Every structure is written in structure tokens, then in C-alpha cells.
């Protein structure tokens, strides 16, 4: 509908961009709300079943909320960088410094790069979550130090394979955390 409105001259490209951003933001909010409701059902179910204390549930809510805010911040920052680059490319095209074909190619490359940045950051969050869980299991005596090391190695290998498959094999391994 938006593309049709542009073609008919009913709205400008800038108005269309704003409408698309609003649409995507509304979709993200709805998705986040569904995700949070699902999380609450699982955690509250574990509390009711005695698998988790209220204190543990509250800690888990806090951890998940922190992670969700971190993901949102990463996406926001990437979107801002992408919009700035898109404006620069568009300005270059309007000034005749770049052809429309080169502009489309540059935009595609920017989008691919930002998606990789976002995915890499999300994988870093996943590694941190796994490390925290493994550390808790180690501290509680559920696993040995050797088992913890093996589990972390498995997690990193799995996430590296996952990242490579999602990125078309461009990334060779997940970056290990340095402390």
C-alpha cells in the first residue's frame, strides 16, 4: 500500500519511510509483548510447581529484562547507524556522486553488515547466559569444573556453527569472552 501511495504521489519517500518505521515498531512491540507473556507463563508455572522460588523467579525476570533491554539497545543503535548511512547514500545519489545501482548495492551491503553486527551481539548475550547458568551449576555442585569447561566448549562450538550457517559461512568462530 505504501509503495502504491508513493507511485500515485500521495506520499513522499520520507513519509513512506516514517510509516514503515512506525509499522515495524508496532510489530516489534507486539512481538515483545507476546514474548514477555510466554516468559511469565513459564516462570510462574515453575514457581507454582515448586521448581523455582519467588526470589529465583524475580532474579530470572530481572536477568531477562536486562537482556531484552540490551537487545533493544543494540538494535536501536544499529538502526540509527543504518539510517545515517542511508541518508548519506541518498544524498550522494541526489548530488550525482553515486549511481542509483551503486546506491542500491551500498544500501544492501549496509543492511547485511548491520544484521551481522546485531546477530553477533545477540550471540554474545547467549554466551553470557550460558556461562552464567554453567557457573551456577558449578557453584551448586551439580557439575564439576571439568564438566563446566566441557559444557562451555560445546556451547561456543554450537553458537559458532549457528552463526556461520546464518552468516553464510563468513564468520569462522564465535568470539570467546575475555576476562
Amino acid at each position: 500500500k505504501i509503495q502504491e501511495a508513493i507511485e500515485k504521489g500521495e506520499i513522499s519517500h520520507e513519509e513512506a519511510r516514517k510509516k514503515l518505521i512506525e509499522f515495524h515498531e508496532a510489530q516489534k512491540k507486539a512481538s515483545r509483548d507476546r514474548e514477555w507473556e510466554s516468559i511469565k507463563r513459564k516462570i510462574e508455572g515453575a514457581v507454582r510447581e515448586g521448581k523455582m522460588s519467588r526470589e529465583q523467579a524475580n532474579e530470572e525476570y530481572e536477568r531477562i529484562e536486562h537482556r531484552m533491554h540490551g537487545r533493544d539497545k543494540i538494535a536501536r543503535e544499529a538502526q540509527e547507524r543504518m539510517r545515517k548511512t542511508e541518508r548519506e547514500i541518498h544524498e550522494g545519489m541526489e548530488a550525482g556522486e553515486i549511481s542509483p545501482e551503486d546506491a542500491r548495492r551500498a544500501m544492501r551491503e549496509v543492511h547485511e553488515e548491520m544484521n551481522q553486527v546485531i546477530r553477533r551481539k545477540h550471540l554474545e548475550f547467549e554466551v553470557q547466559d550460558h556461562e552464567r547458568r554453567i557457573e551456577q551449576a558449578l557453584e551448586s555442585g551439580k557439575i564439576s569444573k571439568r564438566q563446566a569447561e566441557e559444557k562451555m566448549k560445546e556451547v561456543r562450538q554450537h553458537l559458532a556453527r549457528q552463526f556461520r550457517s546464518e552468516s553464510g559461512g563468513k564468520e569462522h568462530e564465535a568470539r570467546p569472552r575475555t576476562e
Side-chain angles (χ1 to χ4, degrees):
K1 290 181 179 183
I2 293 175
Q3 185 63 35
E4 289 174 17
I6 292 171
E7 290 169 3
K8 291 179 182 177
E10 296 171 353
I11 62 173
S12 69
H13 285 281
E14 183 61 22
E15 290 170 320
R17 188 183 69 75
K18 287 179 182 175
K19 286 186 180 291
L20 282 172
I21 289 171
E22 289 172 9
F23 174 74
H24 289 295
E25 289 300 318
Q27 280 189 321
K28 282 194 295 191
K29 183 184 179 326
S31 175
R32 182 58 46 94
D33 291 346
R34 284 190 305 274
E35 181 181 14
W36 190 250
E37 286 304 314
S38 173
I39 289 166
K40 281 175 49 179
R41 279 193 303 276
K42 288 177 185 172
I43 291 174
E44 293 306 318
V47 170
R48 277 191 305 279
E49 295 171 12
K51 296 178 180 175
M52 182 183 282
S53 70
R54 173 53 50 198
E55 182 180 334
Q56 290 171 319
N58 291 340
E59 288 172 4
E60 188 68 0
Y61 281 134
E62 189 174 311
R63 183 193 64 76
I64 291 169
E65 190 171 2
H66 176 73
R67 182 176 177 200
M68 291 172 89
H69 285 296
R71 286 185 348 201
D72 289 346
K73 181 181 178 196
I74 290 165
R76 252 190 332 276
E77 290 171 354
Q79 288 293 331
E80 287 172 17
R81 286 195 311 264
M82 202 163 29
R83 280 195 288 272
K84 180 180 182 241
T85 304
E86 287 173 348
R87 278 192 303 276
E88 291 169 356
I89 292 169
H90 188 71
E91 289 169 3
M93 191 175 71
E94 285 182 347
E97 299 167 355
I98 183 172
S99 71
E101 184 179 309
D102 287 341
R104 280 190 295 279
R105 186 176 19 260
M107 296 285 253
R108 193 171 35 253
E109 289 171 2
V110 166
H111 284 265
E112 289 173 7
E113 182 182 333
M114 286 302 111
N115 286 334
Q116 289 297 319
V117 167
I118 291 169
R119 186 62 192 136
R120 189 177 302 114
K121 293 287 187 181
H122 287 183
L123 283 173
E124 288 173 14
F125 276 132
E126 287 184 48
V127 168
Q128 291 170 4
D129 281 346
H130 285 291
E131 286 176 338
R132 182 190 55 78
R133 286 189 204 109
I134 291 168
E135 185 65 30
Q136 286 174 340
L138 178 62
E139 288 173 2
S140 70
K142 291 180 181 176
I143 62 173
S144 69
K145 183 170 176 73
R146 189 179 110 321
Q147 289 171 314
E149 290 168 354
E150 276 299 310
K151 284 189 179 292
M152 268 317 301
K153 182 178 175 184
E154 290 171 14
V155 165
R156 285 204 168 102
Q157 288 173 346
H158 170 75
L159 292 175
R161 281 191 305 272
Q162 180 182 344
F163 188 74
R164 276 195 310 272
S165 70
E166 290 176 6
S167 65
K170 294 177 188 168
E171 195 72 23
H172 295 289
E173 63 183 64
R175 296 179 184 179
R177 268 183 72 194
T178 54
E179 296 181 41

